[in-house]
Amino acid sequence: MARRLGTPFKVYDNDVPAFHVEVARSLEELNVAAGRSHDAEVSLEDRARIRTEVATEAFEREHGRPPENARELSAVVARLTRPNDRRRGS
């Protein structure tokens, strides 16, 4: 007989950062535009390019200007990819 051990992990509707959702959406669009299945594997170069584009757009929306350097861009990527931690009220 199978038994459940402990409490199942809590899953919240907004656990996936919006950045990840937008990157996934852009990757699907890239695949469809190239005539591939929406969930086909994407090269590391294309993934990096799309992540950079999405992060740059997010930075520009937030600050009203493009990032001045890679450090500014990487800081916004780090913040946007942090999991939503409900224990800290984030």
Side-chain angles (χ1 to χ4, degrees):
M1 175 192 292
R3 294 178 190 236
R4 183 182 297 202
L5 297 176
T7 306
F9 288 107
K10 292 184 177 167
V11 177
Y12 300 96
D13 290 339
N14 296 324
D15 270 355
V16 178
F19 177 78
H20 290 299
V21 173
E22 185 59 34
V23 168
R25 187 175 297 127
S26 295
L27 291 171
E28 286 182 0
E29 290 172 2
L30 175 73
N31 278 333
V32 170
R36 298 185 297 256
S37 169
H38 70 92
D39 60 351
E41 189 171 335
V42 176
S43 72
L44 291 176
E45 294 82 13
D46 282 338
R47 282 183 174 279
R49 180 180 51 78
I50 286 174
R51 284 176 56 92
T52 299
E53 289 171 1
V54 172
T56 299
E57 290 169 4
F59 187 96
E60 290 174 351
R61 278 193 306 273
E62 184 175 332
H63 299 283
R65 63 174 175 80
E68 291 180 5
N69 53 42
R71 184 175 180 203
E72 273 192 338
L73 187 60
S74 65
V76 78
V77 169
R79 186 175 48 76
L80 293 173
T81 57
R82 245 181 251 137
N84 297 330
D85 189 345
R86 298 194 183 267
R87 292 170 295 175
R88 290 185 286 158
S90 299

